[in-house]
Amino acid sequence: MHGLFTAIATPFDGEGRINGRVLRDIMQWNIRLGANGFFVGGSSGECFLLSEKERLQLLEEAAPFAGKMQLIAHVGALNTEEACRYARKASALGYNMAAATPPFYYPFSPNETVRYYEEIAEAAGGPVLYYNFPGNTGKQLDIGNEAFRRLLTGGAIGAIKQTSLDLKQMERLRHLNPSLRLFGGYDEVMVAAIALGADGSIGSTFNFMAGHFRKIFDLAKAGQAAEALRLQEKANNIMDALCAAGLVPAIKYALSLFGFEAGEARRPFLPLSSQSKEAVRTAIEENLEND
């Protein structure tokens, strides 16, 4: 498990239903741009805005790429049994690994969180990717806590998606358990994550920028820091426009610029204003280097 994983968006048709054909078209395009795999049903895929039936359907729609590309299924849920149902489904469909955010909203104890991951690993039939996204979940991965240290070294966790600007923590995770696969989760700091030993990156903007980030990744791995930083700056110019507009709706709009009708993001997300669309379009035109 290494390289660039696109945190694939979930396309909807005009009736608001999952559009599997467009999903697979975007995935095929990402392969041509240089993606090594896909992170299916994550934050960029609007996971917590989908019904359980839709989340299972989404895993099925992406499954034709199993065995051809590395596939990670995000299965995180508020209750353990729901997460385990997704994990069992992903395993049956041939996904390489299940991933899960920690359970949030309620103040679950470290021991409760540890058991959640252990049960998901049992359902998946193998180690799980810990999706560390404290900015959204409000849950900190406290590697000084004995329960979390037991989790991270006990075999239930095989990888970390570090969607956190705490890059020192990523290095400390490697120190704690050298066998963990570590993935950067913030596209904006890919160069820094690679410098600290990341095995790869899982990115939302890869949906339409996989070629650009392929260059950054390869240059950084080759030690060509100046050119990697130049492209990182251009990527961040685009990211600023996306975040100002609203990241998930803006990614779907960006995909439409390349001919992929991914539909609107689910409410409570709002459609982009004409001004936001223009800002996103301009940023892409002035900075993207996919080829």
Side-chain angles (χ1 to χ4, degrees):
M1 299 290 288
H2 67 279
L4 301 185
F5 284 72
T6 298
I8 198 74
T10 300
F12 300 122
D13 64 19
E15 302 300 318
R17 298 168 299 203
I18 293 174
N19 191 327
R21 178 187 59 79
V22 173
L23 173 76
R24 290 184 292 275
D25 286 347
I26 297 169
M27 293 172 76
Q28 193 63 54
W29 182 52
N30 269 252
I31 293 170
R32 293 197 296 272
L33 290 175
N36 298 108
F38 298 96
F39 189 84
V40 180
S43 303
S44 303
E46 302 173 65
C47 56
F48 295 119
L49 301 179
L50 303 178
S51 68
E52 181 170 343
K53 181 179 178 181
E54 287 175 319
R55 290 186 69 177
L56 292 169
Q57 179 193 347
L58 183 61
L59 295 177
E60 292 174 349
E61 297 285 5
F65 290 88
K68 304 172 185 176
M69 300 292 291
Q70 301 174 84
L71 292 184
I72 302 173
H74 175 246
V75 304
L78 281 184
N79 80 77
T80 302
E81 184 48 44
E82 181 183 346
C84 288
R85 287 195 292 273
Y86 301 142
R88 285 189 286 268
K89 180 71 168 181
S91 178
L93 290 170
Y95 280 70
N96 298 87
M97 183 175 278
T101 51
F104 54 90
Y105 183 74
Y106 296 103
F108 297 110
S109 70
N111 284 330
E112 288 168 329
T113 300
V114 166
R115 187 58 191 148
Y116 163 87
Y117 279 105
E118 290 173 342
E119 290 189 43
I120 294 173
E122 291 169 10
V128 175
L129 180 148
Y130 189 112
Y131 185 178
N132 187 31
F133 198 176
N136 276 22
T137 65
K139 298 294 183 179
Q140 297 294 329
L141 177 57
D142 180 4
I143 61 176
N145 179 276
E146 183 56 37
F148 281 115
R149 292 176 72 85
R150 185 176 73 249
L151 172 67
L152 294 167
T153 58
I157 300 299
I160 307 282
K161 181 179 187 283
Q162 183 73 347
T163 309
S164 166
L165 294 177
D166 187 350
L167 295 178
K168 177 191 173 185
Q169 184 185 60
M170 190 181 72
E171 183 276 327
R172 291 288 85 190
L173 287 163
R174 174 77 77 201
H175 178 76
L176 176 66
N177 183 354
S179 69
L180 289 173
R181 289 288 184 175
L182 300 179
F183 294 91
Y186 269 123
D187 305 355
E188 301 94 317
V189 292
M190 177 190 275
V191 170
I194 293 170
L196 283 172
D199 297 292
S201 189
I202 301 171
S204 56
T205 65
F206 298 0
N207 274 278
F208 67 95
M209 294 177 67
H212 190 110
F213 278 99
R214 177 84 260 167
K215 293 178 182 178
I216 295 174
F217 185 82
D218 292 344
L219 288 164
K221 286 288 189 182
Q224 298 182 44
E227 181 62 8
L229 286 170
R230 183 188 72 82
L231 291 174
Q232 182 74 75
E233 180 180 351
K234 283 183 165 288
N236 290 354
N237 291 340
I238 297 172
M239 178 62 82
D240 284 350
L242 296 174
C243 290
L247 183 60
V248 173
I251 287 171
K252 289 194 155 182
Y253 170 67
L255 283 167
S256 75
L257 299 177
F258 294 92
F260 302 101
E261 293 304 326
E264 299 285 354
R266 284 265 169 96
R267 295 192 301 275
F269 286 123
L270 295 174
L272 266 60
S273 67
S274 57
Q275 294 90 340
S276 292
K277 288 181 177 180
E278 183 57 30
V280 169
R281 181 196 297 270
T282 299
I284 291 171
E285 289 175 350
E286 292 180 351
N287 293 281
L288 184 63
E289 296 187 22
N290 257 349
D291 299 325

Short mmCIF file of all heavy atoms in Angstrom, two decimals, residues 84-138:
data_model
loop_
_atom_site.label_atom_id
_atom_site.label_comp_id
_atom_site.label_asym_id
_atom_site.label_seq_id
_atom_site.Cartn_x
_atom_site.Cartn_y
_atom_site.Cartn_z
N CYS A 84 -18.92 -2.40 10.78
CA CYS A 84 -18.54 -3.78 10.48
C CYS A 84 -19.28 -4.33 9.26
O CYS A 84 -18.71 -5.11 8.49
CB CYS A 84 -18.79 -4.67 11.70
SG CYS A 84 -17.62 -4.41 13.06
N ARG A 85 -20.53 -3.92 9.09
CA ARG A 85 -21.25 -4.36 7.88
C ARG A 85 -20.56 -3.85 6.62
O ARG A 85 -20.40 -4.58 5.63
CB ARG A 85 -22.71 -3.89 7.93
CG ARG A 85 -23.56 -4.65 8.92
CD ARG A 85 -25.04 -4.41 8.70
NE ARG A 85 -25.47 -3.05 9.00
CZ ARG A 85 -25.85 -2.63 10.20
NH1 ARG A 85 -25.81 -3.45 11.25
NH2 ARG A 85 -26.27 -1.39 10.39
N TYR A 86 -20.15 -2.59 6.64
CA TYR A 86 -19.43 -2.04 5.49
C TYR A 86 -18.09 -2.77 5.29
O TYR A 86 -17.69 -3.06 4.16
CB TYR A 86 -19.15 -0.55 5.68
CG TYR A 86 -20.36 0.33 5.87
CD1 TYR A 86 -20.33 1.40 6.76
CD2 TYR A 86 -21.54 0.11 5.17
CE1 TYR A 86 -21.43 2.23 6.94
CE2 TYR A 86 -22.65 0.92 5.35
CZ TYR A 86 -22.59 1.98 6.24
OH TYR A 86 -23.68 2.79 6.42
N ALA A 87 -17.40 -3.07 6.40
CA ALA A 87 -16.10 -3.74 6.30
C ALA A 87 -16.25 -5.14 5.71
O ALA A 87 -15.43 -5.56 4.88
CB ALA A 87 -15.45 -3.81 7.69
N ARG A 88 -17.26 -5.85 6.14
CA ARG A 88 -17.47 -7.20 5.59
C ARG A 88 -17.80 -7.13 4.10
O ARG A 88 -17.33 -7.95 3.30
CB ARG A 88 -18.59 -7.91 6.36
CG ARG A 88 -18.16 -8.40 7.74
CD ARG A 88 -19.22 -9.30 8.37
NE ARG A 88 -20.36 -8.52 8.84
CZ ARG A 88 -20.49 -8.04 10.07
NH1 ARG A 88 -19.52 -8.23 10.97
NH2 ARG A 88 -21.56 -7.36 10.43
N LYS A 89 -18.60 -6.14 3.71
CA LYS A 89 -18.94 -5.96 2.30
C LYS A 89 -17.70 -5.65 1.48
O LYS A 89 -17.49 -6.25 0.41
CB LYS A 89 -19.95 -4.82 2.16
CG LYS A 89 -20.40 -4.54 0.73
CD LYS A 89 -21.29 -5.64 0.19
CE LYS A 89 -21.97 -5.24 -1.09
NZ LYS A 89 -22.85 -6.30 -1.62
N ALA A 90 -16.87 -4.73 1.96
CA ALA A 90 -15.66 -4.36 1.24
C ALA A 90 -14.73 -5.56 1.07
O ALA A 90 -14.14 -5.77 0.00
CB ALA A 90 -14.94 -3.22 1.95
N SER A 91 -14.59 -6.34 2.12
CA SER A 91 -13.74 -7.52 2.05
C SER A 91 -14.26 -8.51 1.01
O SER A 91 -13.50 -9.05 0.21
CB SER A 91 -13.67 -8.20 3.43
OG SER A 91 -12.89 -9.36 3.38
N ALA A 92 -15.57 -8.72 1.00
CA ALA A 92 -16.17 -9.65 0.03
C ALA A 92 -16.00 -9.16 -1.40
O ALA A 92 -15.91 -9.97 -2.34
CB ALA A 92 -17.65 -9.84 0.35
N LEU A 93 -15.93 -7.83 -1.59
CA LEU A 93 -15.78 -7.26 -2.93
C LEU A 93 -14.33 -7.19 -3.39
O LEU A 93 -14.08 -6.80 -4.53
CB LEU A 93 -16.39 -5.85 -2.95
CG LEU A 93 -17.92 -5.76 -2.85
CD1 LEU A 93 -18.35 -4.31 -2.64
CD2 LEU A 93 -18.58 -6.33 -4.10
N GLY A 94 -13.39 -7.53 -2.52
CA GLY A 94 -11.99 -7.56 -2.91
C GLY A 94 -11.20 -6.30 -2.63
O GLY A 94 -10.10 -6.13 -3.17
N TYR A 95 -11.71 -5.42 -1.77
CA TYR A 95 -10.95 -4.23 -1.39
C TYR A 95 -9.70 -4.64 -0.62
O TYR A 95 -9.70 -5.64 0.11
CB TYR A 95 -11.80 -3.29 -0.53
CG TYR A 95 -12.76 -2.44 -1.33
CD1 TYR A 95 -13.88 -3.00 -1.96
CD2 TYR A 95 -12.57 -1.07 -1.45
CE1 TYR A 95 -14.76 -2.22 -2.69
CE2 TYR A 95 -13.46 -0.28 -2.17
CZ TYR A 95 -14.54 -0.85 -2.80
OH TYR A 95 -15.41 -0.08 -3.53
N ASN A 96 -8.64 -3.86 -0.77
CA ASN A 96 -7.38 -4.18 -0.10
C ASN A 96 -7.42 -3.90 1.39
O ASN A 96 -6.75 -4.58 2.17
CB ASN A 96 -6.23 -3.37 -0.72
CG ASN A 96 -6.03 -3.69 -2.18
OD1 ASN A 96 -6.68 -3.10 -3.03
ND2 ASN A 96 -5.15 -4.63 -2.47
N MET A 97 -8.16 -2.88 1.80
CA MET A 97 -8.15 -2.48 3.21
C MET A 97 -9.41 -1.68 3.53
O MET A 97 -9.95 -0.99 2.66
CB MET A 97 -6.89 -1.65 3.53
CG MET A 97 -6.74 -1.23 4.98
SD MET A 97 -5.16 -0.37 5.32
CE MET A 97 -4.08 -1.80 5.51
N ALA A 98 -9.87 -1.80 4.76
CA ALA A 98 -10.92 -0.93 5.27
C ALA A 98 -10.28 0.21 6.05
O ALA A 98 -9.21 0.06 6.64
CB ALA A 98 -11.87 -1.71 6.18
N ALA A 99 -10.94 1.36 6.03
CA ALA A 99 -10.49 2.54 6.77
C ALA A 99 -11.65 3.06 7.58
O ALA A 99 -12.81 2.90 7.20
CB ALA A 99 -10.00 3.62 5.81
N ALA A 100 -11.34 3.70 8.69
CA ALA A 100 -12.43 4.24 9.52
C ALA A 100 -11.97 5.46 10.30
O ALA A 100 -10.88 5.47 10.88
CB ALA A 100 -12.95 3.18 10.49
N THR A 101 -12.81 6.48 10.29
CA THR A 101 -12.66 7.56 11.26
C THR A 101 -12.97 7.00 12.64
O THR A 101 -13.71 6.02 12.77
CB THR A 101 -13.64 8.70 10.97
OG1 THR A 101 -14.97 8.14 10.84
CG2 THR A 101 -13.29 9.46 9.71
N PRO A 102 -12.43 7.60 13.69
CA PRO A 102 -12.85 7.20 15.03
C PRO A 102 -14.31 7.59 15.25
O PRO A 102 -14.81 8.54 14.63
CB PRO A 102 -11.92 7.99 15.95
CG PRO A 102 -11.50 9.16 15.16
CD PRO A 102 -11.45 8.69 13.73
N PRO A 103 -15.03 6.88 16.11
CA PRO A 103 -16.42 7.25 16.39
C PRO A 103 -16.45 8.61 17.09
O PRO A 103 -15.67 8.86 18.01
CB PRO A 103 -16.91 6.12 17.30
CG PRO A 103 -15.67 5.58 17.94
CD PRO A 103 -14.57 5.74 16.91
N PHE A 104 -17.36 9.47 16.64
CA PHE A 104 -17.37 10.84 17.17
C PHE A 104 -18.75 11.20 17.71
O PHE A 104 -19.62 10.34 17.82
CB PHE A 104 -16.91 11.84 16.11
CG PHE A 104 -17.66 11.76 14.80
CD1 PHE A 104 -18.79 12.52 14.59
CD2 PHE A 104 -17.21 10.94 13.77
CE1 PHE A 104 -19.50 12.46 13.39
CE2 PHE A 104 -17.90 10.87 12.56
CZ PHE A 104 -19.04 11.62 12.38
N TYR A 105 -18.93 12.43 18.04
CA TYR A 105 -20.12 13.04 18.65
C TYR A 105 -20.19 12.71 20.14
O TYR A 105 -20.12 13.61 20.98
CB TYR A 105 -21.42 12.63 17.96
CG TYR A 105 -22.63 13.33 18.54
CD1 TYR A 105 -22.87 14.68 18.26
CD2 TYR A 105 -23.50 12.67 19.40
CE1 TYR A 105 -23.96 15.34 18.82
CE2 TYR A 105 -24.59 13.32 19.96
CZ TYR A 105 -24.82 14.65 19.68
OH TYR A 105 -25.89 15.30 20.24
N TYR A 106 -20.30 11.44 20.52
CA TYR A 106 -20.29 11.07 21.93
C TYR A 106 -18.84 11.04 22.46
O TYR A 106 -17.91 10.78 21.70
CB TYR A 106 -20.93 9.69 22.14
CG TYR A 106 -22.39 9.66 21.78
CD1 TYR A 106 -22.81 9.10 20.58
CD2 TYR A 106 -23.35 10.22 22.61
CE1 TYR A 106 -24.15 9.06 20.22
CE2 TYR A 106 -24.70 10.19 22.28
CZ TYR A 106 -25.10 9.61 21.07
OH TYR A 106 -26.42 9.60 20.73
N PRO A 107 -18.67 11.28 23.76
CA PRO A 107 -17.30 11.28 24.31
C PRO A 107 -16.81 9.86 24.61
O PRO A 107 -16.62 9.47 25.76
CB PRO A 107 -17.46 12.10 25.60
CG PRO A 107 -18.87 11.85 26.02
CD PRO A 107 -19.67 11.74 24.74
N PHE A 108 -16.61 9.08 23.54
CA PHE A 108 -16.16 7.71 23.73
C PHE A 108 -14.78 7.68 24.37
O PHE A 108 -13.91 8.49 24.03
CB PHE A 108 -16.13 6.98 22.38
CG PHE A 108 -17.47 6.83 21.72
CD1 PHE A 108 -17.78 7.55 20.58
CD2 PHE A 108 -18.43 5.99 22.26
CE1 PHE A 108 -19.02 7.43 19.97
CE2 PHE A 108 -19.68 5.86 21.66
CZ PHE A 108 -19.98 6.58 20.52
N SER A 109 -14.58 6.75 25.26
CA SER A 109 -13.29 6.62 25.94
C SER A 109 -12.26 5.99 24.99
O SER A 109 -12.63 5.37 23.98
CB SER A 109 -13.44 5.72 27.17
OG SER A 109 -13.66 4.37 26.76
N PRO A 110 -10.97 6.13 25.30
CA PRO A 110 -9.97 5.45 24.48
C PRO A 110 -10.22 3.95 24.37
O PRO A 110 -10.07 3.37 23.29
CB PRO A 110 -8.66 5.76 25.22
CG PRO A 110 -8.90 7.09 25.86
CD PRO A 110 -10.35 7.03 26.29
N ASN A 111 -10.61 3.30 25.46
CA ASN A 111 -10.86 1.86 25.40
C ASN A 111 -12.03 1.53 24.48
O ASN A 111 -12.00 0.51 23.78
CB ASN A 111 -11.12 1.31 26.80
CG ASN A 111 -9.84 1.18 27.61
OD1 ASN A 111 -8.77 0.96 27.05
ND2 ASN A 111 -9.95 1.32 28.92
N GLU A 112 -13.05 2.39 24.47
CA GLU A 112 -14.19 2.16 23.57
C GLU A 112 -13.77 2.34 22.12
O GLU A 112 -14.18 1.58 21.24
CB GLU A 112 -15.34 3.11 23.95
CG GLU A 112 -16.02 2.72 25.24
CD GLU A 112 -16.96 3.79 25.77
OE1 GLU A 112 -16.69 5.00 25.53
OE2 GLU A 112 -17.95 3.44 26.44
N THR A 113 -12.94 3.34 21.87
CA THR A 113 -12.46 3.58 20.51
C THR A 113 -11.57 2.43 20.04
O THR A 113 -11.67 1.97 18.90
CB THR A 113 -11.69 4.91 20.44
OG1 THR A 113 -12.57 5.97 20.82
CG2 THR A 113 -11.16 5.16 19.04
N VAL A 114 -10.72 1.94 20.93
CA VAL A 114 -9.85 0.81 20.59
C VAL A 114 -10.69 -0.41 20.21
O VAL A 114 -10.42 -1.08 19.20
CB VAL A 114 -8.91 0.49 21.76
CG1 VAL A 114 -8.23 -0.87 21.57
CG2 VAL A 114 -7.86 1.57 21.91
N ARG A 115 -11.70 -0.69 20.99
CA ARG A 115 -12.53 -1.87 20.70
C ARG A 115 -13.27 -1.71 19.37
O ARG A 115 -13.42 -2.68 18.61
CB ARG A 115 -13.53 -2.12 21.83
CG ARG A 115 -14.31 -3.42 21.66
CD ARG A 115 -13.38 -4.62 21.58
NE ARG A 115 -14.09 -5.84 21.17
CZ ARG A 115 -13.55 -6.81 20.45
NH1 ARG A 115 -12.30 -6.72 20.05
NH2 ARG A 115 -14.26 -7.87 20.15
N TYR A 116 -13.70 -0.50 19.07
CA TYR A 116 -14.34 -0.20 17.78
C TYR A 116 -13.42 -0.62 16.63
O TYR A 116 -13.84 -1.33 15.70
CB TYR A 116 -14.64 1.29 17.75
CG TYR A 116 -14.93 1.96 16.44
CD1 TYR A 116 -16.22 1.99 15.90
CD2 TYR A 116 -13.91 2.64 15.75
CE1 TYR A 116 -16.49 2.67 14.72
CE2 TYR A 116 -14.17 3.33 14.57
CZ TYR A 116 -15.47 3.34 14.06
OH TYR A 116 -15.74 4.02 12.90
N TYR A 117 -12.16 -0.23 16.69
CA TYR A 117 -11.23 -0.58 15.62
C TYR A 117 -10.93 -2.08 15.61
O TYR A 117 -10.80 -2.69 14.54
CB TYR A 117 -9.94 0.22 15.74
CG TYR A 117 -10.06 1.60 15.16
CD1 TYR A 117 -10.16 2.72 15.98
CD2 TYR A 117 -10.10 1.80 13.78
CE1 TYR A 117 -10.28 4.00 15.45
CE2 TYR A 117 -10.22 3.08 13.24
CZ TYR A 117 -10.31 4.16 14.08
OH TYR A 117 -10.44 5.43 13.55
N GLU A 118 -10.81 -2.68 16.76
CA GLU A 118 -10.54 -4.12 16.82
C GLU A 118 -11.67 -4.91 16.18
O GLU A 118 -11.43 -5.88 15.45
CB GLU A 118 -10.31 -4.55 18.26
CG GLU A 118 -9.00 -4.03 18.85
CD GLU A 118 -8.84 -4.31 20.32
OE1 GLU A 118 -9.87 -4.61 20.99
OE2 GLU A 118 -7.71 -4.24 20.82
N GLU A 119 -12.91 -4.50 16.43
CA GLU A 119 -14.05 -5.21 15.85
C GLU A 119 -14.13 -5.00 14.34
O GLU A 119 -14.48 -5.91 13.59
CB GLU A 119 -15.35 -4.78 16.53
CG GLU A 119 -15.47 -5.26 17.97
CD GLU A 119 -16.84 -5.01 18.55
OE1 GLU A 119 -17.84 -5.26 17.85
OE2 GLU A 119 -16.92 -4.56 19.71
N ILE A 120 -13.79 -3.80 13.87
CA ILE A 120 -13.77 -3.55 12.42
C ILE A 120 -12.70 -4.41 11.77
O ILE A 120 -12.92 -5.00 10.70
CB ILE A 120 -13.54 -2.06 12.12
CG1 ILE A 120 -14.74 -1.23 12.58
CG2 ILE A 120 -13.32 -1.85 10.62
CD1 ILE A 120 -14.52 0.27 12.48
N ALA A 121 -11.54 -4.51 12.40
CA ALA A 121 -10.47 -5.35 11.85
C ALA A 121 -10.91 -6.80 11.78
O ALA A 121 -10.61 -7.51 10.80
CB ALA A 121 -9.21 -5.21 12.70
N GLU A 122 -11.62 -7.28 12.79
CA GLU A 122 -12.14 -8.64 12.77
C GLU A 122 -13.11 -8.84 11.61
O GLU A 122 -13.06 -9.84 10.89
CB GLU A 122 -12.83 -8.95 14.09
CG GLU A 122 -11.89 -9.06 15.28
CD GLU A 122 -12.63 -9.10 16.61
OE1 GLU A 122 -13.88 -9.23 16.60
OE2 GLU A 122 -11.97 -8.99 17.67
N ALA A 123 -13.99 -7.85 11.40
CA ALA A 123 -14.97 -7.94 10.31
C ALA A 123 -14.30 -7.87 8.95
O ALA A 123 -14.70 -8.56 8.01
CB ALA A 123 -16.01 -6.83 10.45
N ALA A 124 -13.26 -7.04 8.84
CA ALA A 124 -12.57 -6.86 7.56
C ALA A 124 -11.64 -8.02 7.24
O ALA A 124 -11.24 -8.20 6.08
CB ALA A 124 -11.78 -5.56 7.58
N GLY A 125 -11.25 -8.77 8.25
CA GLY A 125 -10.32 -9.87 8.04
C GLY A 125 -8.88 -9.44 7.92
O GLY A 125 -8.05 -10.16 7.38
N GLY A 126 -8.56 -8.25 8.44
CA GLY A 126 -7.19 -7.76 8.37
C GLY A 126 -7.08 -6.38 8.97
O GLY A 126 -8.09 -5.76 9.36
N PRO A 127 -5.87 -5.84 9.04
CA PRO A 127 -5.65 -4.53 9.66
C PRO A 127 -6.41 -3.42 8.95
O PRO A 127 -6.68 -3.48 7.75
CB PRO A 127 -4.14 -4.33 9.53
CG PRO A 127 -3.58 -5.70 9.37
CD PRO A 127 -4.61 -6.48 8.62
N VAL A 128 -6.73 -2.39 9.72
CA VAL A 128 -7.55 -1.26 9.27
C VAL A 128 -6.69 -0.01 9.18
O VAL A 128 -5.69 0.13 9.90
CB VAL A 128 -8.71 -1.04 10.28
CG1 VAL A 128 -9.53 0.19 9.94
CG2 VAL A 128 -9.60 -2.28 10.33
N LEU A 129 -7.05 0.90 8.30
CA LEU A 129 -6.44 2.23 8.24
C LEU A 129 -7.17 3.15 9.21
O LEU A 129 -8.39 3.30 9.12
CB LEU A 129 -6.49 2.78 6.82
CG LEU A 129 -5.87 4.18 6.59
CD1 LEU A 129 -5.28 4.27 5.18
CD2 LEU A 129 -6.90 5.30 6.77
N TYR A 130 -6.42 3.75 10.13
CA TYR A 130 -6.97 4.73 11.06
C TYR A 130 -7.02 6.08 10.35
O TYR A 130 -5.98 6.65 10.03
CB TYR A 130 -6.09 4.81 12.31
CG TYR A 130 -6.67 5.61 13.45
CD1 TYR A 130 -7.08 5.02 14.63
CD2 TYR A 130 -6.78 7.00 13.36
CE1 TYR A 130 -7.60 5.76 15.69
CE2 TYR A 130 -7.31 7.75 14.39
CZ TYR A 130 -7.71 7.11 15.57
OH TYR A 130 -8.23 7.85 16.60
N TYR A 131 -8.23 6.59 10.13
CA TYR A 131 -8.43 7.85 9.43
C TYR A 131 -8.41 8.97 10.46
O TYR A 131 -9.43 9.26 11.10
CB TYR A 131 -9.75 7.78 8.67
CG TYR A 131 -10.09 8.95 7.77
CD1 TYR A 131 -11.26 8.92 7.03
CD2 TYR A 131 -9.27 10.07 7.64
CE1 TYR A 131 -11.61 9.97 6.18
CE2 TYR A 131 -9.60 11.11 6.82
CZ TYR A 131 -10.79 11.06 6.09
OH TYR A 131 -11.13 12.12 5.26
N ASN A 132 -7.25 9.56 10.63
CA ASN A 132 -7.06 10.57 11.68
C ASN A 132 -7.38 11.95 11.12
O ASN A 132 -6.58 12.53 10.38
CB ASN A 132 -5.60 10.53 12.17
CG ASN A 132 -5.38 11.44 13.37
OD1 ASN A 132 -6.29 11.66 14.18
ND2 ASN A 132 -4.18 11.98 13.49
N PHE A 133 -8.55 12.47 11.47
CA PHE A 133 -9.02 13.75 10.93
C PHE A 133 -9.61 14.57 12.08
O PHE A 133 -10.82 14.82 12.13
CB PHE A 133 -10.08 13.49 9.85
CG PHE A 133 -10.35 14.66 8.94
CD1 PHE A 133 -11.22 14.50 7.87
CD2 PHE A 133 -9.76 15.90 9.10
CE1 PHE A 133 -11.49 15.55 6.99
CE2 PHE A 133 -10.02 16.96 8.26
CZ PHE A 133 -10.91 16.78 7.19
N PRO A 134 -8.78 14.99 13.04
CA PRO A 134 -9.30 15.66 14.24
C PRO A 134 -10.03 16.96 13.95
O PRO A 134 -10.92 17.36 14.71
CB PRO A 134 -8.04 15.90 15.08
CG PRO A 134 -6.90 15.85 14.12
CD PRO A 134 -7.31 14.85 13.08
N GLY A 135 -9.67 17.64 12.84
CA GLY A 135 -10.35 18.88 12.51
C GLY A 135 -11.83 18.69 12.24
O GLY A 135 -12.63 19.59 12.49
N ASN A 136 -12.21 17.52 11.73
CA ASN A 136 -13.62 17.24 11.44
C ASN A 136 -14.29 16.38 12.51
O ASN A 136 -15.45 16.58 12.83
CB ASN A 136 -13.77 16.57 10.08
CG ASN A 136 -13.80 17.56 8.94
OD1 ASN A 136 -13.32 18.69 9.07
ND2 ASN A 136 -14.35 17.17 7.80
N THR A 137 -13.56 15.40 13.03
CA THR A 137 -14.18 14.50 14.01
C THR A 137 -14.13 15.06 15.43
O THR A 137 -14.93 14.66 16.28
CB THR A 137 -13.48 13.13 14.02
OG1 THR A 137 -12.13 13.29 14.47
CG2 THR A 137 -13.50 12.51 12.63
N GLY A 138 -13.18 15.97 15.69
CA GLY A 138 -12.99 16.45 17.05
C GLY A 138 -12.31 15.44 17.95
O GLY A 138 -12.21 15.66 19.17
#
